[in-house]
Amino acid sequence: MRTIIYVGGFELPDRNAAAQRVANNAKILQSLGYRVVLIGVSRQRPYDRRLYPAHCTVAGVDAWEIGYPLAQREWFDAISAVWPLTRAVEQGVAAPDNVAAVICYNHPAVAQARIARLARGWGAAALADCTEWYARRPWTSPANAVKNIDVGLRMHAVNRRMDGLITTAPFISRHYAGAGQPIIEIPTLIEPPPDGSPAPLPPGGPLPLAAIASGFGAAKRPSDIHDRIDWIIDLLDAVAARGVDFRLRIIGVDRDAYLLLFPHHVAVLDRLGPRVEMMGRLPRSDVLELLAASAFSFVLRHESRVTLAGFPTKYSESITYGTPCIINALPSVRAYHVEGQTGFSIDPRNGAEAVEALRRVLTMDRVAIDAMKQYCRTSAVFQASTFEPAMQTFLQSIGVAPRT
């Protein structure tokens, strides 16, 4: 059984969305007959150039982690590091002559180029899983300058020299379409819940809704927030004025942090009162439980290079857990969205038209909503098994041996 090594800044077992993506991609590779080794990072480990055992949610995957770099000298080492792979060999985790491919997940450019050279020296393919295109930072500090140079080098040069690319959205796939490499597009996949059917909605009372906020901790201005919770609140304020009763639970930000960026919403939130609850950060298990119990979730994003390059994990989580999603025009989800089944599309820029569309959705018969929830839960659109044939074709196209 040949080995595929996946290396990058994912925090196992599921501490960030990257880890969830990598675990599900590992499940695909494992199902195709490969032994999978994951090498992630941990903020609980020292950055001491050692590999530590880690835990993966997928049984049979060999998981390891290195310390997360904190000091400046550690960062400079990390952005050019090839030692995680050489340590894997030294510790008997992988044998070079048995490695079929190395996959770099959103990796620093210099480190990725060096890892690619090492992998090819072993006779393995060098691949990149490219799910982000980070925004340019102000050139106001050495750290920002290094980050800007790194992102530009990786996106415009290093990725184009890899043997194949795994992307998550059409935006990045089109960017590399002329490079001549095999490309496979895989959205963020989600492990399905153990039970097969979502619980039916209560027959009466406020309609339960959910939205997941991210980025508020690091944001300096409203434009830094990609998931537009403010749009959701404005729309629901207008819908509430038309007599619709609902309870929106917003996960990931509390009221104080939200109002630091959107202070003009004080009056709106006061007016909505208990209809909107900001719950702050919650364990992922609680998030998924709350999501599964909701009639609809929201994913409204403005378009930027960052949002176009990525795939909203919030969308795939929602559908997998049986909750249809109210979205705006997101190119990355277009191939997976079934209007009236996996949710509804609205355009927040259309004012009164968007409000009326949302009013119609939130006043649907609850039996019809339950039918949508069942459709989402059983669709399997974001499950690993759905992408096995495409992954096998991709690996064969770059000369990586299939199941042996």
Side-chain angles (χ1 to χ4, degrees), residues 99-112:
V99 176
V102 177
I103 306 174
C104 294
Y105 178 85
N106 291 332
H107 222 60
V110 173
Q112 180 173 310

Side-chain angles (χ1 to χ4, degrees), residues 25-47:
N25 287 359
K27 190 174 183 180
I28 299 173
L29 298 169
Q30 190 181 63
S31 71
L32 295 176
Y34 297 95
R35 172 178 174 260
V36 182
V37 173
L38 303 182
I39 304 176
V41 299
S42 170
R43 297 172 192 266
Q44 282 72 52
R45 305 284 193 185
Y47 189 83

Side-chain angles (χ1 to χ4, degrees), residues 90-357:
E90 291 166 3
Q91 292 180 214
V93 175
D97 59 357
N98 194 47
V99 176
V102 177
I103 306 174
C104 294
Y105 178 85
N106 291 332
H107 222 60
V110 173
Q112 180 173 310
R114 295 185 67 204
I115 287 171
R117 190 179 308 117
L118 178 65
R120 289 172 182 142
W122 292 346
L127 311 177
D129 187 1
C130 183
T131 73
E132 302 278 0
W133 195 335
Y134 304 107
R136 181 171 293 180
R137 299 181 177 185
W139 296 80
T140 53
S141 69
N144 283 0
V146 169
K147 186 68 175 179
N148 288 339
I149 292 168
D150 176 75
V151 170
L153 186 60
R154 172 158 46 92
M155 300 304 291
H156 293 292
V158 176
N159 278 347
R160 292 182 181 276
R161 292 175 172 83
M162 302 299 282
D163 298 318
L165 297 175
I166 305 170
T167 70
T168 192
F171 182 80
I172 293 185
S173 299
R174 287 194 299 268
H175 176 72
Y176 293 112
Q181 307 140 294
I183 297 174
I184 182 172
E185 196 172 295
I186 300 180
T188 301
L189 306 179
I190 301 296
E191 186 70 18
D195 53 324
S197 297
L201 295 170
L207 191 70
L209 306 173
I212 301 176
S214 58
F216 276 83
K220 301 283 193 298
R221 52 193 181 276
S223 60
D224 293 335
I225 300 297
H226 306 308
D227 296 293
R228 299 307 300 265
I229 303 298
D230 57 320
W231 292 357
I232 299 169
I233 289 173
D234 282 335
L235 286 167
L236 288 176
D237 183 42
V239 167
R242 299 189 182 195
V244 179
D245 196 11
F246 56 83
R247 292 294 182 272
L248 172 68
R249 290 180 172 87
I250 301 172
I251 306 152
V253 66
D254 59 31
R255 181 184 172 106
D256 290 342
Y258 177 81
L259 290 175
L260 282 176
L261 287 178
F262 298 100
H264 63 286
H265 266 176
V266 170
V268 177
L269 291 177
D270 286 346
R271 185 162 57 244
L272 286 168
R275 292 188 181 91
V276 173
E277 180 182 1
M278 295 191 175
M279 307 183 72
R281 295 180 64 84
L282 297 175
R284 186 165 182 264
S285 58
D286 292 353
V287 173
L288 295 176
E289 183 178 342
L290 190 151
L291 193 62
S294 299
F296 296 98
S297 69
F298 288 89
V299 177
L300 302 183
R301 288 184 159 193
H302 68 250
E303 284 197 7
S304 68
R305 189 176 72 183
V306 175
T307 59
L308 289 171
F311 190 94
T313 303
K314 304 167 184 66
Y315 182 82
S316 48
E317 280 183 336
S318 186
I319 303 306
T320 302
Y321 274 73
T323 301
C325 198
I326 298 168
I327 64 171
N328 59 330
L330 299 172
S332 57
V333 305
R334 192 172 293 143
Y336 311 100
H337 178 72
V338 182
E339 187 72 10
Q341 295 277 44
T342 61
F344 295 95
S345 301
I346 61 173
D347 186 351
R349 298 169 300 180
N350 283 351
E353 183 179 326
V355 171
E356 175 56 23

